[in-house]
Amino acid sequence: MKRSRGDAGKTSPPIRKAAGWLGPVVVIAVVAVLAIIARPTDQSTAPAAGTAGSQQENPFAELARRAPGDPVALGEPDAPVVVIEYADFQCPFCGKHARETAPRLIREYVDRGLVRIEWRDLPYLGDESRAAASAARAAAAQGRFWEFHDALYAKQRRVNSGALNDAALRDIASRLGLDLARFDADRASAVTREAIDRDQREAASMGLTGTPAFIVGDTPIIGAQPYEAFKQAIDEQLDAP
């Protein structure tokens, strides 16, 4: 997929857990909102100029990192709308989104400077999920995260079947032309481990336990929803005064 460039595992649960998680959209969305609103504010730190009002209106505003040069983000740091995606590389519904919905979102919004997509790791399906997340982060260190992402989601694989074992991950890295010695070192590093752990803590703070989950500006979207659901949420925020 052509894209514009912007700046310890447990035994896996059955796949039906991921599928069943798509149902309680409203409940999980409410939990997410309440979890963020309930966070105590730091009274000793004054908000940056021009940010106080927007953060009060949008309880998810603090989640967007907007870091220039972030290798696991697509689009401009100052894009009007940030879409945050929490995903697992073994999740079949994440794969469905990656193959069917994301390309159109990138073409119609990211490439036009209207949306930024920020990736978050939520490898909850088991050992190979965590290994794949680490490998993708190692690819990111060489500027190839999204190519590795696409290779992982290119086809559906059985969960924790060995399809994403060490040899398979190194094969993808080799086919992408990565420095394998650096790839191996980076995926085992403390920096990679902490980056994944940080994403998981963020998801846990909102009560997110499955994938995919998205925060589209100030709107939670749970599950592999069709393109139209994302378009509606994005357009409403682009049209807001």
Side-chain angles (χ1 to χ4, degrees):
M1 181 190 309
K2 293 184 178 179
R3 300 172 181 269
S4 62
R5 291 290 182 260
D7 282 314
K10 298 180 181 180
T11 301
S12 64
I15 273 292
R16 62 176 176 274
K17 179 177 179 181
W21 197 73
L22 302 184
V25 176
V26 176
V27 173
I28 295 177
V30 170
V31 170
V33 173
L34 292 179
I36 294 177
I37 292 176
R39 289 181 182 174
T41 57
D42 184 353
Q43 299 297 332
S44 65
T45 304
T51 63
S54 62
Q55 289 192 2
Q56 289 174 357
E57 295 169 4
N58 176 9
F60 296 111
E62 65 188 79
L63 293 175
R65 296 171 187 170
R66 294 185 179 273
D70 184 350
V72 298
L74 285 174
E76 299 301 324
D78 60 352
V81 177
V82 175
V83 174
I84 301 173
E85 176 181 359
Y86 299 86
D88 182 312
F89 283 116
Q90 291 196 101
C91 168
F93 305 101
C94 300
K96 177 180 174 65
H97 175 83
R99 292 186 295 271
E100 298 178 9
T101 303
R104 191 172 175 187
L105 290 174
I106 293 166
R107 183 173 64 252
E108 299 192 11
Y109 289 100
V110 176
D111 289 349
R112 294 169 58 198
L114 300 173
V115 164
R116 174 178 175 85
I117 297 174
E118 294 187 355
W119 174 268
R120 303 286 194 270
D121 283 300
L122 185 50
Y124 79 107
L125 284 172
D127 291 347
E128 290 184 43
S129 294
R130 182 78 187 203
S134 298
R137 290 280 176 170
Q142 298 187 47
R144 305 297 295 276
F145 173 82
W146 292 102
E147 291 90 341
F148 206 94
H149 164 283
D150 289 351
L152 289 170
Y153 282 139
K155 61 182 180 180
Q156 185 53 48
R157 301 172 174 89
R158 289 179 54 215
V159 173
N160 295 324
S161 64
L164 292 179
N165 61 16
D166 183 74
L169 295 171
R170 293 188 91 247
D171 180 64
I172 294 172
S174 178
R175 286 189 281 113
L176 291 176
L178 300 185
D179 179 328
L180 291 182
R182 181 182 175 189
F183 173 77
D184 289 338
D186 284 339
R187 63 186 172 135
S189 73
V191 171
T192 294
R193 182 168 59 252
E194 173 53 29
I196 296 170
D197 289 347
R198 175 191 180 189
D199 288 354
Q200 290 184 289
R201 288 193 299 269
E202 182 178 283
S205 74
M206 294 184 289
L208 300 179
T209 59
T211 56
F214 306 86
I215 307 297
V216 181
D218 60 5
T219 302
I221 293 181
I222 307 302
Q225 302 298 326
Y227 168 82
E228 288 72 21
F230 291 89
K231 175 177 173 58
Q232 179 179 345
I234 293 168
D235 287 349
E236 285 176 354
Q237 289 168 75
L238 291 175
D239 293 340

